[in-house]
């Protein structure tokens, strides 16, 4: 019996009436319709009708109020969240911090790690990228280099499609690729789908510093030149590698246009990681800039100051791409809720971690579950139109601060990745801020843990021991 019918039923008797409270009512609030069995409203106790009507009316008002509160408590509005929920399941963020910065912030000081070499990282489309102009050239204005959020997402999709194609065809192409391992294809940089973050590395004798994009999804280090060769590579005055093997390319266009080449950090024998393993032990780490207006670092070797605090998840070898860093994801949590996603969904697709992909890609089934849970908890905020590949967006124009549910990802080995707020939302403007996840076209497509979700973390690659760890970073 619906709520309005319950009230009519309680009001029938004119002289006397009796009511047995239905526990089922309270157990059911939060649903669209509360149902009571006819037998649960009986003539058990007789009391004067006026008094009873007053008691019933008062109880009914209280019940409806609780019902409405129960419905609202599922959304994270500014006034509905209790302090305990704030602390455990919600991030409170200032809207302006989500938006693209217009200037480069002051240099970020790193932890004291003088025992291992550090390279400064900047985002190549950020206001800070002007400091990485090619040696021998005047510092250029950066206004033409800074892309809009929509343009960055468009390039990101091109990269993801390239990775999916490469991985889906890996088995039949492996023999052909191995025979051409030292040949750099003369194609547009866009079609190669390279990454977002750049470092400065010295080549030659005397050394000349070049700006290179570092990429865990690529093996071969290359610069724009005329052939494949060997040369001296310099990271710091104490970190010099003679006869370093690298590739070359000419007239590389697209997203390589503003950089001199690429530093390949994959697992292949030609990668920088493999060629320097005798010195660094096959271990490197990075802490990406906390925003595109700041800087991060890329480090090589074992950092003794954090080794004992790191919890590692094993790297998985996958025949589709042995040089990629595959991880085994177990579950995803939104707020205080574990998403109901079958383990087979993640095991079927697999997942790689990639420094060059921006937005994390999930199997279609997993993304749908994440999207639904996030939308439910954000229902008190006005929605906005999709932004490129992102379809879960909000209009925060009228808000200075917003409450968003925390998101965490659990990996094999009990490693939990708690995402920073900067890894949950991405915004083009205050009127268009979106969930920074996207779904693959098919559940069989490989999932990708993108660099947006890696912000504010130090990601440690212990390639020699086939494991990866996350620790809080800058």
């Amino acid at each position: 019996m619906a709520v309005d019918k319950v009230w009519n039923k309680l009001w029938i008797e004119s002289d006397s009436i009796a009511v047995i409270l239905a526990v089922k009512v309270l157990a059911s609030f939060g649903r669209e319709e509360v149902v009571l069995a006819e037998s649960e409203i009986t003539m058990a106790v007789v009391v004067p009708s006026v008094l009873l009507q007053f008691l019933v009316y008062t109880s009914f008002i209280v019940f409806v109020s609780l019902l409405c509160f129960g419905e609202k408590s599922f959304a994270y509005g500014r006034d509905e969240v209790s302090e305990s929920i704030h602390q455990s399941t919600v991030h409170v963020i200032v809207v302006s911090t989500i938006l693209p910065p217009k200037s480069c912030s002051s240099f970020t000081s790193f932890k004291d790690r003088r025992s291992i070499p550090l390279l400064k990282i900047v985002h190549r489309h950020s206001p800070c990228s002007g400091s990485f102009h090619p040696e021998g050239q005047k510092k250029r204005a950066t206004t033409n280099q800074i892309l809009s959020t929509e343009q960055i997402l468009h390039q990101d999709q091109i990269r993801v499609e390239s990775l999916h194609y490469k991985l889906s065809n890996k088995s039949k192409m492996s023999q052909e690729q191995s025979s051409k391992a030292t040949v750099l294809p003369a194609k547009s940089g866009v079609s190669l789908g390279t990454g977002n973050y750049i470092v400065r590395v010295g080549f030659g004798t005397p050394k000349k510093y070049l700006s290179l994009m570092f990429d865990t999804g690529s093996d071969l280090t290359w610069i724009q030149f005329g052939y494949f060769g060997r040369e001296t590579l310099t990271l710091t005055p104490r970190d010099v590698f003679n006869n370093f093997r690298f590739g070359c390319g000419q007239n590389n266009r697209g997203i390589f246009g503003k950089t001199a080449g690429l530093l390949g950090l994959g697992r292949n024998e030609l990668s920088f990681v493999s060629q320097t393993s005798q010195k660094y032990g096959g271990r490197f780490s990075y802490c990406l800039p906390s925003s595109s207006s700041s800087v991060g670092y890329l480090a090589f070797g074992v950092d003794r100051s954090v080794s004992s605090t790191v919890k590692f998840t094993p790297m998985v070898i996958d025949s589709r791409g042995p040089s990629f860093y595959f991880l085994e994801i177990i579950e995803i949590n939104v707020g205080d809720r574990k998403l109901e996603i079958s383990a087979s969904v993640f095991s079927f697709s697999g997942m790689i971690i990639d420094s060059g992909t921006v937005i994390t890609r999930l199997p279609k089934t997993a993304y749908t579950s994440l999207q639904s849970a996030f939308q439910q908890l954000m229902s008190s905020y006005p929605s906005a139109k999709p932004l490129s590949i992102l379809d879960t967006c909000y209009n925060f124009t009228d808000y200075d601060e917003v409450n968003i549910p925390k998101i965490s990802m659990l990996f094999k080995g009990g490693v939990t990745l708690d995402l920073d707020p900067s890894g949950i939302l991405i915004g083009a403007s205050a009127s268009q801020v979106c969930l920074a996840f996207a779904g693959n076209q098919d559940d069989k497509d490989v999932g990708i843990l993108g660099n947006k979700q890696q912000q504010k973390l130090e990601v440690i690659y212990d390639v020699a021991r086939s494991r990866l760890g996350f620790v809080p970073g800058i």
Side-chain angles (χ1 to χ4, degrees), residues 6 29 51 64 103 111 113 133 144 163 202 204 223 235 243 278 284 301 317 320 338 384 405 447:
V6 171
F29 81 46
L51 175 60
V64 171
S103 62
K111 300 174 183 177
R113 295 181 179 173
H133 60 91
N144 293 330
L163 288 173
I223 60 174
L235 297 184
N243 296 315
Q278 187 172 353
F284 69 96
I317 300 295
R320 292 172 293 179
K338 173 186 173 182

Side-chain angles (χ1 to χ4, degrees), residues 336-399:
D336 60 353
R337 183 188 313 174
K338 173 186 173 182
L339 300 184
E340 296 298 325
I341 304 172
S342 171
S344 62
V345 171
F346 293 124
S347 61
F348 183 54
S349 65
M351 173 172 277
I352 63 171
I353 181 171
D354 182 36
S355 66
T357 298
V358 180
I359 301 298
T360 288
R361 301 312 202 276
L362 296 174
K364 187 175 182 179
T365 298
Y367 174 71
T368 300
S369 180
L370 171 65
Q371 178 191 41
S372 176
F374 192 83
Q375 287 176 331
Q376 184 179 9
L377 295 173
M378 293 288 288
S379 61
S380 61
Y381 295 108
S383 61
K385 65 179 182 180
L387 174 63
S388 183
I389 58 174
L390 307 179
D391 57 8
T392 305
C393 303
Y394 300 90
N395 183 351
F396 293 151
T397 303
D398 296 329
Y399 299 88

Side-chain angles (χ1 to χ4, degrees), residues 159-176:
R159 176 183 177 87
V160 168
E161 290 173 359
S162 175
L163 288 173
H164 281 163
Y165 178 80
K166 183 177 181 180
L167 288 167
S168 65
N169 290 275
K170 192 66 179 181
S171 58
K172 68 178 182 180
M173 294 175 63
S174 58
Q175 184 175 357
E176 178 183 353

Side-chain angles (χ1 to χ4, degrees), residues 105-113 118-122 197 286-291 293-298 306 420 422 454-459 471-474:
S105 62
S106 59
F107 186 83
T108 304
S109 60
F110 301 135
K111 300 174 183 177
D112 185 11
R113 295 181 179 173
L118 295 176
L119 300 180
K120 183 171 73 170
I121 297 173
V122 300
Y197 294 98
Y286 55 73
C287 198
L288 301 178
S290 57
S291 72
S293 67
S294 60
V295 299
Y297 63 81
L298 172 63
V306 299
D420 184 80
S422 61
Q454 299 174 48
Q455 290 184 356
K456 299 273 185 88
L457 296 167
E458 181 174 17
V459 186
V471 292
I474 58 174

Side-chain angles (χ1 to χ4, degrees), residues 107-122 132 198-202 209 214 234-239 263 272 279-280 283-287 295-303 305-306 458-459 474:
F107 186 83
T108 304
S109 60
F110 301 135
K111 300 174 183 177
D112 185 11
R113 295 181 179 173
R114 298 177 184 177
S115 62
I116 61 175
L118 295 176
L119 300 180
K120 183 171 73 170
I121 297 173
V122 300
F132 272 29
I198 56 179
V199 295
R200 284 171 61 84
V201 176
Y209 280 99
F214 79 90
T234 303
L235 297 184
T236 73
R238 294 185 301 175
D239 296 87
L263 183 65
F272 180 87
K279 183 176 180 67
Y280 298 138
R283 183 156 167 161
F284 69 96
S285 64
Y286 55 73
C287 198
V295 299
Y297 63 81
L298 172 63
F300 297 96
V302 177
D303 183 2
S305 67
V306 299
E458 181 174 17
V459 186
I474 58 174

